[in-house]
Amino acid sequence: MNIDIIPCLNDNYSYLIHDEQSNTVVIVDPSEFAPCDKIISKKYKKLNYILNTHHHHDHVGGNAELKKKYNAQIFGFESDDKRIPGIDKLLKDNQEFKVGKLNFITIFIPGHTIGHVAYYLKKEQVVFSGDTLFSMGCGRVFEGTYEQMLNSLKKLKNLPENTKVYCGHEYTHDNLKFCLKFNPNNNALKKKREIIEAKIKHGKPTLPSTIGDEIQMNIFLRYDDPDVKEALNLKKASDLEIFTKLRDLKDNF
């Protein structure tokens, strides 16, 4: 399996997956037609499937034109059937489905939107997390509740630690600054800063991350860390209270 990272819009990423065994081509969250089509037409000249994590335009903006040009099938969560352009197949939570030789599992992770899903490849140890889990961050809570978002992050946190995380945006550097502010004694974060800054300097994506790295460094997965609680002056607060406070602070960071 090969994954191409396609920069789109200002800071979005779309992901082009080629299953070499079956010569099946899949794209996750095509933000816009032109940059996605450029690499599809250059490398493969075909597109079989489009997988959408949620309905926001910066994740589905290329759907219609790609479907028209390549006759690709569009997959998305069942509750987004009226909101994802051109959707063909409605998926349920924890549904396994096959694309070529790749076995995907749908993970329902509401919070950012009420119909948000991740796509997990267990054998290949890869998850496409959309706008729920970012590298060292998480998405804003637009349609769901803070509790839903926290529970969704816990689902992803429970995946095997070597799982590679491909998320929807290049937010890593700003997220790193926020994590360091409220988790200042985290040595892993300090070491990671040099790696991230070098990648950005050379114009390279900071992704993929891994679940293990996120557990170590992503403050939104470290709601039970005494260092974080002390920084927030909320030593006896619940996981949900800590997460809510962090999300509100990040919204204004």
Side-chain angles (χ1 to χ4, degrees):
M1 181 185 73
N2 183 63
I3 300 174
D4 287 298
I5 301 176
I6 307 174
C8 295
L9 303 172
N10 294 321
D11 51 31
N12 277 76
Y13 285 134
S14 300
Y15 298 105
L16 189 63
I17 308 163
H18 181 224
D19 172 32
E20 293 164 330
Q21 276 189 287
S22 64
N23 193 29
T24 301
V25 184
V26 187
I27 196 163
V28 179
D29 286 350
S31 303
E32 54 180 336
F33 174 74
C36 295
D37 181 54
K38 183 178 180 180
I39 191 166
I40 293 167
S41 59
K42 181 181 178 181
K43 293 190 72 171
Y44 306 116
K45 297 180 173 57
K46 62 181 286 189
L47 178 67
N48 302 101
Y49 299 97
I50 296 168
L51 306 183
N52 292 131
T53 60
H54 63 296
H55 72 92
H56 284 162
H57 183 72
D58 63 334
H59 291 257
V60 304
N63 274 24
E65 288 178 272
L66 288 172
K67 181 176 182 176
K68 183 179 179 181
K69 180 170 180 177
Y70 295 103
N71 196 30
Q73 273 198 300
I74 299 175
F75 288 23
F77 194 61
E78 58 184 354
S79 65
D80 269 353
D81 64 325
K82 300 289 192 294
R83 306 201 294 178
I84 290 178
I87 193 167
D88 297 297
K89 184 171 178 61
L90 305 180
L91 301 168
K92 299 180 182 297
D93 183 23
N94 205 34
Q95 181 173 341
E96 295 187 29
F97 63 96
K98 200 163 189 174
V99 169
K101 296 290 185 181
L102 300 175
N103 290 302
F104 284 89
I105 301 172
T106 305
I107 305 174
F108 181 42
I109 45 172
H112 182 67
T113 68
I114 56 173
H116 200 301
V117 292
Y119 295 106
Y120 177 44
L121 290 163
K122 185 176 181 180
K123 181 181 176 184
E124 291 77 12
Q125 300 176 332
V126 165
V127 67
F128 299 93
S129 60
D131 284 2
T132 297
L133 177 64
F134 293 130
S135 174
M136 283 178 266
C138 75
R140 288 176 181 261
V141 179
F142 284 129
E143 297 176 2
T145 65
Y146 288 98
E147 186 173 13
Q148 283 178 319
M149 191 64 161
L150 177 59
N151 288 336
S152 293
L153 290 169
K154 286 180 176 180
K155 278 187 184 181
L156 296 176
K157 185 179 180 179
N158 285 332
L159 294 176
E161 290 192 13
N162 55 358
T163 304
K164 292 179 180 178
V165 179
Y166 291 87
C167 59
H169 291 269
E170 182 57 82
Y171 290 162
T172 307
H173 193 248
D174 283 346
N175 289 343
L176 175 67
K177 292 178 186 176
F178 181 77
C179 288
L180 279 167
K181 182 174 181 177
F182 295 101
N183 197 188
N185 299 318
N186 188 328
N187 290 324
L189 273 173
K190 295 172 185 176
K191 291 177 183 176
K192 190 72 170 180
R193 177 167 53 191
E194 293 179 17
I195 298 169
I196 296 303
E197 289 177 350
K199 285 185 177 181
I200 291 170
K201 182 180 178 181
H202 292 96
K204 295 181 179 179
T206 62
L207 302 170
S209 179
T210 66
I211 292 296
D213 279 354
E214 295 309 306
I215 290 170
Q216 264 197 309
M217 292 177 273
N218 189 333
I219 199 165
F220 292 101
L221 301 185
R222 299 182 64 79
Y223 37 76
D224 54 353
D225 184 336
D227 189 42
V228 174
K229 291 185 175 186
E230 186 170 343
L232 296 173
N233 197 26
L234 292 171
K235 294 180 183 179
K236 295 183 179 180
S238 67
D239 291 353
L240 181 57
E241 287 172 316
I242 296 295
F243 172 75
T244 301
K245 180 65 175 178
L246 286 169
R247 188 59 260 178
D248 286 346
L249 287 167
K250 184 65 169 65
D251 287 346
N252 298 292
F253 183 69

